[in-house]
């Protein structure tokens, strides 16, 4: 299961766990879960593309920065994202290159759910198990 929502952890916020065989898969699944909280992403078309790079010494810090950047772009440019292409390298720090696609928020077209305001540090966690990377994220809505 790439992600699942955690109904019993945060009643006023939204929580999910995501997993992936690679860091890239984990980051994509976490992004999809974040936008699924806001909208049915199947109804969002990849009309607008943004590219950006992030760097952080810690993998959990990089995931936090990644989701925060997506929430920022959603707010600053009124764009919902549905497609995420991520490349991550580990050198002296974790370096992420992303290409994300989506479209402008259209209340006539999109069935909006909750508005994610921010990623929180509450219970935030990224772990490597024997087979997968996993993350637990709580979003302020």
């Amino acid at each position: 299961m790439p992600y699942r929502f955690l109904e019993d952890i945060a009643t006023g916020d939204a929580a999910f766990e995501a997993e992936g065989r690679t860091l890239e898969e984990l980051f994509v699944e976490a992004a999809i879960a974040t936008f699924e909280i806001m909208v049915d992403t199947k109804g969002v078309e990849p009309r607008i593309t943004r590219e950006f790079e992030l760097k952080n010494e810690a993998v959990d810090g990089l995931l936090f920065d990644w989701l925060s950047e997506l929430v920022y772009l959603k707010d600053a440019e009124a764009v919902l994202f549905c497609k995420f292409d991520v490349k991550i390298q580990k050198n002296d720090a974790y370096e992420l290159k992303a290409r994300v696609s989506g479209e402008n928020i259209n209340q006539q077209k999109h069935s909006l759910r909750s508005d994610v305001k921010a990623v929180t540090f509450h219970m935030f966690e990224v772990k490597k198990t024997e087979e997968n990377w996993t993350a637990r994220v709580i979003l302020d809505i």
Side-chain angles (χ1 to χ4, degrees):
M1 180 169 45
Y3 67 86
R4 68 182 180 100
F5 294 109
L6 305 171
E7 304 293 334
D8 57 339
I9 287 194
T11 55
D13 296 323
F16 66 85
E17 286 181 342
E19 68 177 46
R21 288 174 291 145
T22 64
L23 274 178
E24 286 87 354
E25 285 183 10
L26 174 68
F27 278 53
V28 168
E29 293 302 329
I32 293 170
T34 298
F35 279 89
E36 280 291 327
I37 289 167
M38 295 185 262
V39 66
D40 179 358
T41 58
K42 292 177 184 74
V44 179
E45 297 179 53
R47 297 175 179 220
I48 298 170
T49 298
R50 297 288 180 264
E51 296 183 41
F52 56 90
E53 297 180 11
L54 299 169
K55 186 175 182 179
N56 197 300
E57 293 180 9
V59 68
D60 56 347
L62 187 66
L63 180 64
F64 189 92
D65 292 347
W66 159 246
L67 296 176
S68 295
E69 182 70 15
L70 293 172
V71 171
Y72 167 77
L73 289 171
K74 181 266 302 173
D75 288 337
E77 300 183 14
V79 176
L80 296 168
F81 294 106
C82 61
K83 186 175 177 188
F84 308 91
D85 182 27
V86 178
K87 304 279 188 263
I88 299 173
Q89 287 186 313
K90 172 76 168 83
N91 295 313
D92 58 330
Y94 288 94
E95 299 173 2
L96 174 147
K97 291 184 179 179
R99 180 179 171 94
V100 299
S101 300
E103 67 179 320
N104 288 107
I105 296 172
N106 179 342
Q107 294 189 3
Q108 304 296 321
K109 176 181 177 182
H110 301 120
S111 179
L112 300 175
R113 297 173 176 155
S114 297
D115 185 32
V116 173
K117 293 187 266 181
V119 183
T120 74
F121 282 112
H122 182 63
M123 300 178 74
F124 189 86
E125 180 180 73
V126 177
K127 291 191 304 190
K128 174 79 170 97
T129 64
E130 286 187 29
E131 296 180 9
N132 294 319
W133 283 92
T134 64
R136 181 180 49 231
V137 177
I138 297 178
L139 301 168
D140 182 20
I141 56 173

